[in-house]
Amino acid sequence: MAELPEGYQNIPEDDRRKAQQLFDRGAAVAGTGQFDYAIEMYLQGLGIDPENVDAHQALREISLRRKASGGKDLGMFEKKKLQFSRPKEEKQAMLLAEKLLSFDPGETNHMVALMDAARKAGYYDSVMWIGPILLQANAAKPDYNKYIKLRDTYKYLGQWKEAVEACNYAAKMKPDDMDIQRELKDLGAQLTMVQGKYSGSVGFRGSIRNMDAQQKLMEADKNIHTVDSMQRAILEAEEELKADPNEPGKLIKLVEALRRSETPENENRAIELLEESYQRTGQFRWRKSQGEIELAQLARMERGLVMQLRAEPNNEQIKQQIQQFRRDRAEAELKEYTLWVENYPTETEFKFHRGYRLFALAQYDEAIPVFQEVRSDPKYRTQAQIYLARSFLGAGYVDESADTLRELINTYQLKGDAKSIEMHYYYGRTLEQQGDVGGALKAYSQVAQWNFNHMDVQQRIKRLRGASAPKQAGNAGAGEV
């Protein structure tokens, strides 16, 4: 058995399992494009299992997808608020750095902060995960001090191969610096002496597990999703479950291996396994996992229809299919989330999603009390208030809609973001229905100043101002809603 570095923090298996539920939820919502929420789920999971390298890597991939889709960095106010929180624990400092990095995945200062906090906290696998990412990112715009930071971190962990690599980059930046050249030579000698004792590519948990199991971890860490590796993972998980059929963790591993393939055949196998386990144990978590797979399948089917429409944008038949499918999907999701709420009555997330499906299906009278309850949760307060007002409007309670939006606009601090645009737009809609043309124009004008192409705001402004006096909002008559 290899000797573990001093201070290494091993995470209990129970914590790993608890965290995995959050990671699974994060992966599911990321698949629907809710990247910010997915990031939050992964960070919560890492708060329980901070050494889950798979989760670190999945979170980074989500942050890169978010950036590629146009996602912006945190605002200056939000970043200052986070940075001034000054976490007392190194784990919280690591999570803070990772959150900042998730919203700005190319910022090497966040990578350094994450690595440094992880080292101090004893999360050495996390250090070995972020180290190569920092090394590569720093190469784009070399910073000598960051190479030295990497070198010293690897030295502390006894990872001589990586220390030599980082020091070599630093030495190339200062070829005439005899001290750094001597340091490079000494590290090379140290590497020769201890070659084989440690290996950064193996990871610190590997020193207390056999090499065959560690090789599987390495394959997962690299996020290799070839057909061969996925099939091998499925076969291995099946063998482990056969050896211990009553171990929940073995079933979870097999189900996840089947899900990663994203093939209907394997997903249906996973559904059958979960259904059998639910019938046998009566534990709803198995039924919930079954529902998650089915909802993911529906989302994938809709993406397929949308891709068909992109190829044939004038195909009216496909447009009708998408419209009908979205309604069918919303109904299926409503049934699923209703079931989840019944079994997890304190989970606000499920209530919010149920309320949203009621709203999407124009069941406004039923959606209203759901959003009234959900708005008590700070995490969902703003969005729940917006949907509450829209539900009031859809149900014909125009005054209640206006009052709800007016209060929300007066208390919402951010200006010009997506939520403030949405609440001002629908405030204009309610004022328009009340006959308050001036107030509606003012709300629409604010929306246009923030986002000129938002929905039909241009047409509504022109309609209210009137064709005869397009620049005199105060004289415009009431238009149609």
Side-chain angles (χ1 to χ4, degrees):
M1 179 183 293
E3 181 182 356
L4 288 172
E6 182 180 357
Y8 174 67
Q9 297 293 325
N10 193 35
I11 308 300
E13 287 299 324
D14 283 347
D15 286 349
R16 293 186 186 281
R17 283 192 287 270
K18 292 176 184 177
Q20 190 60 48
Q21 295 179 7
L22 292 164
F23 299 147
D24 292 344
R25 189 182 304 170
V29 297
T32 66
Q34 300 178 67
F35 298 129
D36 289 12
Y37 184 38
I39 288 170
E40 184 61 30
M41 288 294 97
Y42 271 93
L43 290 172
Q44 287 185 27
L46 288 168
I48 301 172
D49 180 12
E51 277 284 69
N52 192 313
V53 177
D54 284 340
H56 283 300
Q57 182 61 29
L59 174 55
R60 178 155 183 82
E61 290 173 2
I62 289 169
S63 71
L64 292 170
R65 286 166 56 196
R66 177 185 179 276
K67 184 175 179 65
S69 66
K72 304 298 184 183
D73 188 12
L74 291 172
M76 186 62 66
F77 175 81
E78 182 67 15
K79 285 200 287 188
K80 285 184 178 295
K81 184 171 68 173
L82 289 172
Q83 291 167 337
F84 286 152
S85 61
R86 297 182 181 179
K88 297 180 181 180
E89 296 181 352
E90 295 300 337
K91 180 173 78 172
Q92 295 304 317
M94 183 188 81
L95 295 174
L96 169 60
E98 192 152 12
K99 180 171 185 175
L100 292 169
L101 181 63
S102 297
F103 288 91
D104 190 8
E107 178 53 64
T108 54
N109 287 326
H110 299 330
M111 298 179 192
V112 170
L114 193 163
M115 181 180 68
D116 195 45
R119 180 191 66 78
K120 292 176 181 177
Y123 303 137
Y124 298 152
D125 282 332
S126 300
V127 173
M128 300 305 294
W129 165 75
I130 192 61
I133 295 173
L134 172 58
L135 186 72
Q136 182 179 5
N138 195 50
K141 189 177 180 181
D143 182 327
Y144 177 83
N145 292 327
K146 288 185 173 67
Y147 286 133
I148 296 301
K149 186 70 174 179
L150 276 163
R151 179 204 67 184
D152 292 343
T153 299
Y154 286 132
K155 283 174 62 178
Y156 177 85
L157 299 180
Q159 301 301 295
W160 306 109
K161 179 176 177 293
E162 288 75 12
V164 168
E165 184 179 18
C167 190
N168 187 48
Y169 275 94
K172 287 180 179 179
M173 293 186 70
K174 294 187 177 183
D176 298 326
D177 187 326
M178 298 308 297
D179 290 336
I180 191 67
Q181 299 299 332
R182 187 181 304 110
E183 174 74 3
L184 179 60
K185 184 182 294 185
D186 292 342
L187 287 172
Q190 185 70 30
L191 173 62
T192 301
M193 289 172 58
V194 299
Q195 194 89 46
K197 184 177 180 181
Y198 298 112
S199 173
S201 62
V202 171
F204 295 95
R205 287 200 302 275
S207 61
I208 54 175
R209 300 181 181 179
N210 60 63
M211 287 300 295
D212 184 58
Q214 185 58 31
Q215 181 62 36
K216 299 170 190 172
L217 176 63
M218 289 169 61
E219 193 169 45
D221 288 346
K222 294 176 182 177
N223 201 25
I224 297 175
H225 292 309
T226 64
V227 173
D228 288 342
S229 67
M230 284 192 289
Q231 188 59 36
R232 185 164 60 251
I234 291 171
L235 292 173
E236 290 171 351
E238 285 178 333
E239 291 301 317
E240 291 183 19
L241 183 61
K242 287 179 183 178
D244 194 358
N246 295 320
E247 169 56 43
K250 305 298 184 185
L251 175 59
I252 292 172
K253 183 176 180 180
L254 176 54
V255 167
E256 287 306 306
L258 291 167
R259 287 188 65 177
R260 277 196 296 272
S261 70
E262 292 191 345
T263 63
E265 181 181 2
N266 284 336
E267 287 177 334
N268 291 337
R269 276 191 62 203
I271 289 172
E272 290 175 1
L273 289 168
L274 291 165
E275 174 64 21
E276 187 278 329
S277 185
Y278 174 55
Q279 294 298 332
R280 177 169 51 84
T281 66
Q283 296 180 10
F284 186 75
R285 60 170 174 163
W286 304 122
R287 172 60 186 80
K288 178 176 174 293
S289 295
Q290 175 188 336
E292 289 172 349
I293 297 174
E294 292 171 344
L295 295 185
Q297 289 177 328
L298 289 174
R300 191 165 63 242
M301 290 169 66
E302 182 175 326
R303 288 196 297 270
L305 287 172
V306 171
M307 289 178 67
Q308 290 182 39
L309 184 60
R310 288 177 181 173
E312 302 177 65
N314 298 320
N315 192 320
E316 293 300 323
Q317 184 178 0
I318 296 177
K319 290 180 182 178
Q320 292 176 7
Q321 288 178 349
I322 292 176
Q323 184 176 6
Q324 182 59 47
F325 183 86
R326 284 176 172 166
R327 180 171 184 84
D328 293 342
R329 178 185 171 188
E331 289 176 348
E333 290 173 334
L334 175 59
K335 290 179 181 178
E336 194 66 29
Y337 283 116
T338 298
L339 190 60
W340 294 7
V341 168
E342 290 172 355
N343 286 272
Y344 299 103
T346 62
E347 183 60 68
T348 307
E349 174 197 352
F350 302 156
K351 294 178 183 178
F352 176 82
H353 285 299
R354 178 174 179 269
Y356 175 76
R357 270 66 184 186
L358 288 168
F359 170 82
L361 291 167
Q363 297 179 27
Y364 303 121
D365 289 341
E366 294 180 57
I368 287 169
V370 175
F371 289 125
Q372 286 176 327
E373 180 182 1
V374 170
R375 64 180 172 177
S376 63
D377 186 332
K379 184 175 181 179
Y380 293 96
R381 179 176 295 137
T382 300
Q383 200 61 57
Q385 288 276 79
I386 292 173
Y387 281 119
L388 173 60
R390 293 182 62 183
S391 297
F392 275 136
L393 185 62
Y397 296 95
V398 182
D399 292 345
E400 288 75 8
S401 178
D403 290 344
T404 301
L405 286 167
R406 186 182 301 110
E407 178 185 0
L408 182 56
I409 289 171
N410 290 335
T411 57
Y412 191 68
Q413 295 184 352
L414 299 179
K415 304 299 179 185
D417 69 341
K419 291 179 180 178
S420 62
I421 290 173
E422 186 177 10
M423 62 183 73
H424 276 80
Y425 173 79
Y426 284 103
Y427 186 47
R429 292 278 297 271
T430 60
L431 294 177
E432 193 174 346
Q433 286 204 27
Q434 287 180 324
D436 184 356
V437 176
L441 277 169
K442 185 176 180 181
Y444 290 147
S445 176
Q446 181 63 81
V447 172
Q449 292 175 60
W450 284 330
N451 183 352
F452 192 60
N453 293 321
H454 183 74
M455 299 181 68
D456 61 349
V457 70
Q458 297 177 41
Q459 291 80 4
R460 287 184 176 274
I461 291 174
K462 290 177 181 178
R463 185 191 305 157
L464 291 182
R465 286 178 176 171
S468 62
K471 296 184 179 180
Q472 298 177 20
N475 297 326
E480 297 179 0
V481 176

